Amino acid sequence: MTVESTAARTSRRSAGSKAGATGTKAAGTRRRTGAKKGADPELVQLLTPEGERVKNAEYDKYVAGITADELRGLYRDMVLTRRFDAEATALQRQGELGLWASLLGQEAAQIGSGRATREDDYVFPTYREHGVAWCRGVDPTNLLGMFRGVNNGGWDPNGNNFHLYTIVIGSQALHATGYAMGVAKDGADSAVVAYFGDGASSQGDVAEAFTFSAVYNAPVVFFCQNNQWAISEPTEKQMRVPLYQRAAGFGFPGVRVDGNDVLACLAVTKWALERARNGEGPTLVEAFTYRMGAHTTSDDPTRYRGDEERLAWEAKDPILRLRRHLEAANHADEGFFAELETESEALGRRVREAVRAMPDPDLFAIFENVYADGHALVDEERAQFAAYQASFADAEGV
Amino acid sequence: MAAEKMALAKAINESLRRALDNDPKVLIMGEDVGKLGGVFRVTDGLQKDFGESRVIDTPLAESGIVGTAIGLALRGYRPVVEIQFDGFVFPAYDQIVTQLAKMHARSLGKVKLPVVVRIPYGGGIGAVEHHSESPEALFAHVAGLKIVSPSNASDAYWMMQQAIQSDDPVIYFEPKRRYWDKAEVDTEAIPAPLHKAQVVREGTDLTLAAYGPMVKLCQEVAAAAAEEGKSLEVLDLRSVSPIDFDAIQASVERTRRLVVVHEAPVFFGSGAEIAARITERCFYHLEAPVLRVGGYHAPYPPARLEESYLPDLDRVLDAVDRSLAY
Ligand SMILES: Cc1ncc(C[n+]2csc(CCOP(=O)(O)OP(=O)(O)O)c2C)c(N)n1
């Protein structure tokens, strides 16, 4: 299939999805195409894997004014996020982190959607949204504390309107919905984004979040990164219809976007956020992408998937794709890439040094912040703990 | 030769294999239990040998896992479900507490729910949050559930056989930090009854009662105390609901002192129940109040603090000294 014909089909199909969005035609009534993974004509795409810009009648307008500078910015975001991620993986291998959940391959989904958010929007991540955190201005070294085991969070969620990572799958979809309900009650025009995975969409909490957000018309965007796997289980073990179509049953639109296409992710998320701001309620965005690495550093993907799949997805690499586009459009020269390489090295160094310098927490942190108003039992146990610790000092003759 | 040295995780694997072999109604269900063999490899190779209809990879939904296991049990199956980590059982808690635990009573005994819920639990492996908790008391408080926790490979093997054969729902807490500890497993032995405690070390000065991951620690404590001339008895409770109070009483009547050790928070924990009952039963035998060693009333801390949070040799020895000082 030529690029042109893909583009034409994409735009016709997504016109249908927009109709669903405005309520004239539910997304789920569209025919199942039976298309194979990655070749779904319903995938919104603005940049082909070769980096060619394809037209899309529905979503072009959301990136129409994008400048070369902004495109380079997206590229920079993705490169630095990948670099940060690679550094964290290396640090785990060196024993500096207990665990790491890599985002390798998902940079476009995260940077595209993250850059679509406004400062006053609020984001609820899972545990792999390092690229979104980057877009929200969270210092990446803050993300590493919980993986190093020095804290169970590590940043002030209100500092950048970026909530703490949530490990219990799907829980945060409800928090995001509730937060969005609050935004609507306040009459604000900001919006909320909830991130979760394809596996998470099987959880009751996610279904309940869909229910509440639809019933209360909450200004929330559910951004599901379908990276094809929930640890060892492929998406087919979670659901039998394309994930984005599930929104229809709850009464709001769902769209599948090429999750390796940063421009498409940016455009579709902007559209969904605009809907939220306009009081049109929730949207489900399914970013169709791929987890190129292991689920976490504890996982061994060779037990459940072969290399061919990964190789096929490597050809759709989000970073390579934008680079090709930048080069073809003469938007970036060698100098830009060289400078970025230097910046990337510096980031790696900074992260490495910051992690190694991260102090172990104070022992008494166990008892800190258990309650906002204090609690007699905690006080009692803290005192016992102090006496116990002091007994070692005594024993050592201090 | 029926006896073989194997790791605790492997013993559970062998036990599940035997159950699948013996009874076509036995099913394994859970997240990643198939090709991956579970994140701890406890179900390794079972799907390969028994097929996808007996060893079932489930959608990522714990309420769904337990809820459908209930339905399968109603239809005559004996599901053994895996909850991937302790902290992820709570989406299923509603099904376990409001349905699994009560259906037998509600049906006037007509319905039996032979469901085993396997939960790797406890800390000491340096994991991120929700991967190290000890929620056994939250289940023990619920009538209708049986709760066990093996401390060694042999018990892991046999208690799994017995749990699967039980017509009651059994919550089977697996001490994940002991998964790799090896012990002799005699697959032709006659096992002890599921809910009976066992004296794993005899002693005369004080009883240490524990289950699951803390049994090994208590054995180390007893060995250390022996060097100081103290004779500690170590009781492996094996079962948290019911608790073998007769065995604890018998031991305490000999030693006159009791220290209960568990990883879970002390406040409203199983140690509290044991202390209360043993005080009632052994009031005139006790030379000291029953003491408890366990976690604090605080969220499970990040990995770098868990050594300070979890009971260790010194903290238990400290409690032993306090008890002996009365
Ligand atoms: C309630 C709950 N159950 C199980 C787990 C263990 N677990 C962690 S990640 C994961 C797979 C998640 O897959 P998906 O939602 O697709 O997100 P991905 O990690 O692929 O981004 C599982 C089963 C968990 N964290 N929470």
Side-chain angles (χ1 to χ4, degrees):
Chain A
M1 194 188 290
T2 66
V3 171
E4 278 71 25
S5 72
T6 315
R9 293 188 61 189
T10 303
S11 63
R12 215 173 46 238
R13 295 285 175 159
S14 51
S17 96
K18 194 63 200 292
T22 49
T24 50
K25 185 175 167 229
T29 60
R30 281 172 285 165
R31 274 182 301 122
R32 277 189 69 183
T33 61
K36 284 219 160 51
K37 275 181 185 179
D40 192 330
E42 298 192 9
L43 200 64
V44 178
Q45 191 180 70
L46 302 183
L47 276 183
T48 68
E50 294 71 35
E52 270 176 88
R53 181 72 170 79
V54 286
K55 292 255 164 292
N56 185 298
E58 290 307 311
Y59 297 102
D60 273 350
K61 66 169 182 265
Y62 293 95
V63 290
I66 197 160
T67 63
D69 201 35
E70 284 166 330
L71 283 172
R72 281 193 301 273
L74 293 172
Y75 184 79
R76 174 179 174 271
D77 289 337
M78 290 198 288
V79 166
L80 294 181
T81 298
R82 179 170 291 186
R83 180 54 210 253
F84 162 70
D85 185 72
E87 198 62 47
T89 302
L91 285 164
Q92 195 281 335
R93 297 283 178 244
Q94 294 158 17
E96 299 287 347
L97 301 178
L99 181 82
W100 183 244
S102 165
L103 67 19
L104 185 64
Q106 300 179 217
E107 295 87 352
Q110 298 196 10
I111 299 301
S113 60
R115 285 294 174 212
T117 61
R118 226 167 53 186
E119 200 174 321
D120 59 337
D121 293 338
Y122 211 107
V123 167
F124 288 80
T126 304
Y127 45 71
R128 203 190 290 284
E129 271 68 75
H130 322 312
V132 186
W134 172 266
C135 295
R136 298 299 304 174
V138 175
D139 186 321
T141 59
N142 285 344
L143 305 175
L144 299 168
M146 74 182 280
F147 293 98
R148 187 172 168 87
V150 301
N151 59 46
N152 283 333
W155 60 91
D156 171 6
N158 294 324
N160 301 73
N161 284 9
F162 184 77
H163 194 69
L164 299 172
Y165 277 177
T166 299
I167 289 178
V168 180
I169 296 295
S171 291
Q172 78 281 5
L174 282 166
H175 311 156
T177 300
Y179 194 97
M181 287 160 62
V183 168
K185 278 187 195 301
D186 294 343
D189 82 334
S190 56
V192 179
V193 188
Y195 285 85
F196 52 85
D198 45 304
S201 70
S202 297
Q203 287 284 354
D205 273 7
V206 171
E208 293 181 28
F210 287 177
T211 299
F212 274 70
S213 64
V215 166
Y216 296 107
N217 206 43
V220 57
V221 176
F222 297 109
F223 195 92
C224 177
Q225 288 168 86
N226 177 358
N227 64 11
Q228 313 303 327
W229 293 91
I231 309 190
S232 74
E233 299 194 18
T235 314
E236 295 80 47
K237 286 273 185 243
Q238 309 293 337
M239 68 217 65
R240 288 300 169 99
V241 298
L243 207 153
Y244 71 94
Q245 290 184 3
R246 299 183 62 185
F250 291 88
F252 55 88
V255 181
R256 175 177 280 181
V257 59
D258 185 334
N260 287 20
D261 173 350
V262 70
L263 217 50
C265 290
L266 178 70
V268 168
T269 312
K270 281 199 160 171
W271 162 72
L273 286 166
E274 186 179 277
R275 289 191 74 249
R277 295 189 211 294
N278 290 343
E280 293 172 73
T283 307
L284 172 63
V285 177
E286 174 191 4
F288 204 73
T289 182
Y290 192 68
R291 185 194 90 209
M292 296 224 258
H295 167 71
T296 65
T297 45
S298 302
D299 176 39
D300 173 12
T302 64
R303 294 177 72 100
Y304 55 83
R305 70 181 193 196
D307 288 339
E308 321 80 62
E309 190 182 283
R310 186 193 153 110
L311 290 174
W313 278 95
E314 266 176 16
K316 303 184 217 174
D317 188 292
I319 295 185
L320 198 57
R321 179 179 310 202
L322 185 55
R323 181 172 182 136
R324 284 172 175 150
H325 178 69
L326 289 175
E327 285 173 342
N330 274 327
H331 281 336
D333 55 16
E334 272 315 306
F336 166 74
F337 293 112
E339 231 172 83
L340 184 53
E341 181 56 32
T342 312
E343 191 180 0
S344 168
E345 280 310 310
L347 175 67
R349 245 189 337 272
R350 176 162 85 82
V351 167
R352 205 157 54 238
E353 281 160 14
V355 165
R356 296 208 168 119
M358 225 178 251
D360 277 356
D362 183 84
L363 292 185
F364 290 86
I366 293 173
F367 304 99
E368 269 161 36
N369 302 309
V370 182
Y371 293 92
D373 290 337
H375 187 289
L377 178 64
V378 175
D379 295 343
E380 186 186 322
E381 290 189 347
R382 188 197 287 109
Q384 285 166 359
F385 183 79
Y388 176 65
Q389 296 303 328
S391 72
F392 288 105
D394 294 345
E396 283 159 19
V398 176
Chain B
M1 245 283 287
E4 195 190 319
K5 219 173 162 129
M6 60 178 96
L8 192 149
K10 175 72 176 160
I12 299 173
N13 178 278
E14 288 294 333
S15 189
L16 293 172
R17 176 176 292 281
R18 179 170 177 169
L20 286 162
D21 247 337
N22 286 349
D23 182 353
K25 294 296 188 188
V26 171
L27 303 173
I28 310 292
M29 299 168 64
E31 296 160 9
D32 304 295
V33 298
K35 265 195 190 147
L36 189 66
V39 292
F40 290 107
R41 311 288 183 259
V42 171
T43 56
D44 195 19
L46 298 180
Q47 190 181 66
K48 192 167 123 277
D49 295 341
F50 295 93
E52 290 191 27
S53 68
R54 306 276 317 274
V55 180
I56 305 165
D57 269 334
T58 64
L60 216 169
E62 287 76 10
S63 180
I65 295 171
V66 173
T68 57
I70 291 172
L72 283 157
L74 291 171
R75 181 66 192 178
Y77 285 89
R78 304 185 89 84
V80 181
V81 311
E82 173 176 304
I83 300 294
Q84 201 156 74
F85 278 93
D86 34 59
F88 308 142
V89 70
F90 297 105
Y93 194 63
D94 169 42
Q95 285 288 343
I96 293 173
V97 171
T98 68
Q99 307 302 320
L100 187 61
K102 294 184 167 71
M103 234 177 252
H104 181 67
R106 290 175 57 225
S107 70
L108 307 177
K110 298 293 182 227
V111 162
K112 294 188 171 53
L113 290 178
V115 176
V116 178
V117 181
R118 296 180 35 232
I119 308 176
Y121 84 124
I125 64 162
V128 292
E129 65 169 347
H130 311 298
H131 290 71
S132 302
E133 294 170 13
S134 299
E136 64 271 18
L138 296 176
F139 294 88
H141 199 64
V142 179
L145 302 175
K146 290 183 171 170
I147 296 156
V148 298
S149 180
S151 70
N152 59 70
S154 174
D155 268 357
Y157 181 90
W158 283 112
M159 289 164 74
M160 179 57 75
Q161 292 294 304
Q162 294 161 321
I164 293 171
Q165 281 151 19
S166 168
D167 280 336
D168 285 314
V170 178
I171 315 290
Y172 187 99
F173 279 106
E174 301 174 5
K176 68 171 88 82
R177 71 152 109 172
R178 306 293 182 218
Y179 268 150
W180 303 279
D181 287 2
K182 290 190 169 184
E184 194 85 2
V185 178
D186 182 348
T187 55
E188 280 164 24
I190 298 170
L194 184 56
H195 302 291
K196 249 196 140 25
Q198 273 176 349
V199 175
V200 292
R201 180 187 175 112
E202 290 187 353
T204 52
D205 296 338
L206 180 148
T207 301
L208 287 173
Y211 49 85
M214 290 288 94
V215 172
K216 184 177 175 184
L217 174 70
C218 287
Q219 287 171 305
E220 289 163 5
V221 168
E227 286 176 20
E228 300 170 5
K230 295 166 196 157
S231 166
L232 308 190
E233 180 144 306
V234 180
L235 203 54
D236 182 352
L237 296 178
R238 302 170 75 248
S239 175
V240 179
S241 179
I243 291 180
D244 187 354
F245 288 110
D246 292 345
I248 310 176
Q249 179 175 354
S251 178
V252 169
E253 284 178 2
R254 283 195 301 277
T255 65
R256 297 177 170 261
R257 288 180 167 84
L258 176 63
V259 175
V260 188
V261 183
H262 51 62
E263 289 190 14
V266 165
F267 189 53
F268 273 85
S270 48
E273 182 59 38
I274 293 169
R277 297 253 176 189
I278 292 304
T279 304
E280 283 176 24
R281 286 186 180 213
C282 307
F283 189 69
Y284 292 108
H285 285 94
L286 284 168
E287 299 281 354
V290 180
L291 299 181
R292 294 166 288 160
V293 183
Y296 302 108
H297 188 62
Y300 196 91
R304 302 249 170 173
L305 287 179
E306 70 177 344
E307 250 183 75
S308 307
Y309 174 89
L310 289 168
D312 61 5
L313 198 84
D314 286 317
R315 263 176 67 201
V316 182
L317 279 171
D318 222 40
V320 166
D321 288 345
R322 273 188 289 132
S323 176
L324 289 169
Y326 275 92

